């Protein structure tokens, strides 16, 4: 704290460069010796000669460095280049995150040293001038991350959601027709297109999450799907759902153990764990087509094929969704009349169409690539409809 000054006395202020007198420190600090007499009231403006405190005691009990009595002079620009380089040069080089912003009057091609001159090293005091400090415009010079596609789409005013389009829709329709036709000939005939569906599901989910190549995760999810297929074929028809759920639980535990043994960063292990579990779950759930009734599989697969194809037509969003669901229900009625479901096929077709549109929307999320459209965009509508085909088929049948 600055020393107390008596207004009645006009004591000359000491020189700024002079050392602080010992009398500035107040007498709240106890004396070094207990038997020493109490110091008389001192005149704080007379300096060390009137205080009577030893110099060593003042140095030991000081909390703040000595300050000059005169107010600190207002900061201004250094007198010369040497002062500017000494005051701002090292500090600016050690603490700056961005290259120095040139002065407003500097030429565009000026050298960096010129921008670090007095105009840069001596900012004007905003408190004294009453103006806002002038900051440099925003820059991306320090950003080493590449702008991802969704961020670029939003910056350009475009939607990051892009539907797969007609080509994946045709492939989905073809695969759905294969599933519907193979279900008529039995479970082993259905196994051929089902394995292709499970492989596309496992690979497409990893690519949809930005993980490629992920050969171990894709192989693990596809192996779980094959185990689920074998378990469903090995047990009787009433125990098919139990075989699927048991395989799913075992594969989640196996994926967790494998991810815990990984030496990657914790964040990467968490991302890999979630993607592996979701991919394995979707691929294993596709085995529901094996556990379901053959008539329900035929109706559901045909409804998904029609719904996805109708959704790819060039229509506005709301009418397109309505047309897709109506087409799925109509396909369920038409195909259900050819099977044992009858009019109940409308409910199976409608439920399968809703799940197919949900899977199609997931495949369109976050500005995906063409590879995502040709894998996840083809497989997810059929994979998402598998549980609905089994459940609604059991209810209707």
């Amino acid at each position: 704290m600055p020393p107390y000054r008596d207004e009645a006395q006009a004591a000359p202020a000491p020189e700024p460069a002079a050392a602080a007198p010992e009398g500035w420190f107040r007498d709240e600090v106890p004396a070094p010796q207990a038997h020493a007499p109490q110091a008389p009231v001192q005149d704080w403006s007379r300096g060390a000669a009137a205080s009577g405190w030893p110099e060593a005691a003042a140095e030991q009990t000081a909390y703040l460095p000595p300050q000059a009595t005169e107010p600190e002079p207002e900061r201004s620009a250094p007198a010369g280049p040497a002062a500017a380089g000494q005051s701002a040069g090292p500090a600016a080089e050690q603490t700056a995150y961005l290259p120095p912003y040139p002065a407003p009057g500097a030429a565009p091609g000026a050298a960096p040293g010129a921008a670090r001159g007095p105009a840069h090293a001596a900012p004007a005091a905003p408190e004294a001038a009453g103006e806002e400090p002038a900051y440099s415009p925003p820059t991306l010079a320090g950003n080493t991350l590449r702008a991802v596609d969704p961020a670029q789409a939003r910056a350009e005013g475009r939607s990051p959601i892009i539907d797969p389009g007609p080509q994946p829709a045709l492939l989905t329709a073809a695969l759905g027709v294969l599933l519907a036709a193979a279900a008529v000939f039995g479970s082993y005939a259905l196994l051929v297109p089902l394995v292709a569906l499970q492989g596309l599901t496992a690979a497409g989910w990893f690519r949809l999450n930005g993980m490629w190549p992920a050969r171990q995760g894709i192989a693990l999810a596809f192996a779980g799907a094959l185990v689920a297929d074998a378990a469903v074929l090995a047990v009787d028809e009433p125990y098919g759902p139990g075989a699927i759920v048991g395989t799913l639980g075992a594969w989640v535990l196996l994926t967790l153990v494998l991810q815990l043994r990984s030496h990657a960063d914790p964040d990467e292990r968490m991302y890999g764990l979630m993607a592996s579990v979701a991919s394995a779950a979707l691929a294993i759930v596709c085995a529901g087509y094996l556990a379901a009734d053959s008539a329900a599989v035929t109706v559901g697969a045909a409804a998904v094929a029609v719904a996805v194809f109708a959704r790819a037509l060039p229509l506005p969003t709301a009418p397109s969704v309505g047309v897709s669901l109506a087409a799925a229900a109509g396909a369920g009625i038409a195909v259900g009349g050819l099977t044992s479901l009858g009019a109940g096929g409308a409910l199976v077709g409608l439920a399968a169409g809703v799940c197919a549109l949900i899977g199609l929307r997931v495949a369109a999320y976050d500005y995906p690539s063409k590879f995502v459209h040709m894998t996840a965009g083809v497989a997810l509508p059929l994979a998402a409809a598998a549980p609905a085909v089994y459940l609604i088929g059991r209810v209707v049948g």
Side-chain angles (χ1 to χ4, degrees):
M1 302 293 294
Y4 174 80
R5 301 184 65 180
D6 190 3
E7 297 179 359
Q9 297 180 0
E15 296 295 331
E22 293 81 3
W24 287 1
F25 303 98
R26 299 182 182 273
D27 55 355
E28 285 85 2
V29 181
Q33 300 179 0
H35 62 277
Q38 183 177 3
V41 178
Q42 302 296 331
D43 186 1
W44 300 105
S45 63
R46 295 183 179 275
S51 63
W53 288 92
E55 183 178 0
E59 294 177 356
Q60 295 176 1
T61 59
Y63 290 93
L64 296 174
Q67 301 180 1
T69 57
E70 292 184 357
E72 185 178 358
E74 184 180 356
R75 297 180 180 178
S76 59
Q86 181 180 0
S87 60
E93 293 176 359
Q94 293 176 5
T95 61
Y97 291 96
L98 295 175
Y101 181 68
R116 204 182 289 118
H120 175 76
E127 295 84 359
E131 299 178 355
E132 294 292 335
Y135 295 102
S136 61
T139 178
L140 297 177
N143 186 12
T144 58
L145 298 177
R146 180 181 62 86
V148 295
D149 290 338
Q152 182 179 359
R154 294 186 183 96
E156 296 175 358
R158 295 182 287 108
S159 174
I161 306 298
I162 296 180
D163 293 327
Q167 293 182 355
L170 291 175
L171 293 178
T172 303
L175 187 57
V177 170
L178 287 177
L179 286 171
V184 178
F185 297 98
S187 299
Y188 290 98
L190 180 62
L191 191 62
V192 177
L194 180 61
V195 170
L197 172 63
Q198 291 169 335
L200 288 175
T201 303
W205 185 260
F206 275 97
R207 188 62 185 92
L208 183 62
N209 286 268
M211 299 179 181
W212 189 265
R215 300 182 181 89
Q216 295 180 357
I218 294 174
L220 182 64
F222 186 64
L226 296 181
V227 171
D229 295 341
V232 171
L233 292 176
V235 299
D236 296 335
E237 183 178 355
Y239 302 105
I244 296 175
V245 173
T247 306
L248 180 59
W251 237 251
V252 169
L253 182 61
L254 178 61
T255 304
L256 180 61
V257 171
L258 293 178
Q259 290 295 330
L260 290 178
R261 293 175 56 88
S262 175
H263 299 286
D265 295 336
D267 292 340
E268 295 182 1
R269 282 187 292 178
M270 181 59 66
Y271 297 152
L273 174 63
M274 302 310 297
S276 300
V277 170
S279 178
L282 289 172
I284 291 173
V285 162
C286 291
Y289 286 112
L290 285 178
D293 184 65
S294 60
V297 174
T298 302
V299 173
V304 170
V306 174
V308 173
F309 182 79
R311 184 67 179 87
L313 296 177
L315 296 174
T317 302
S320 177
V321 172
V323 169
S324 300
L325 295 180
I333 295 176
V335 180
L338 302 176
T339 61
S340 60
L341 291 181
L347 185 59
V348 176
L350 182 61
V354 171
C355 294
L357 293 184
I358 294 175
L360 197 65
R361 181 68 172 181
V362 172
Y365 178 69
D366 211 8
Y367 205 78
S369 63
K370 186 177 180 180
F371 186 84
V372 174
H373 286 165
M374 301 303 292
T375 53
V378 174
L380 285 184
L382 289 167
V389 168
Y390 174 80
L391 293 176
I392 306 301
R394 289 290 300 266
V395 171
V396 174

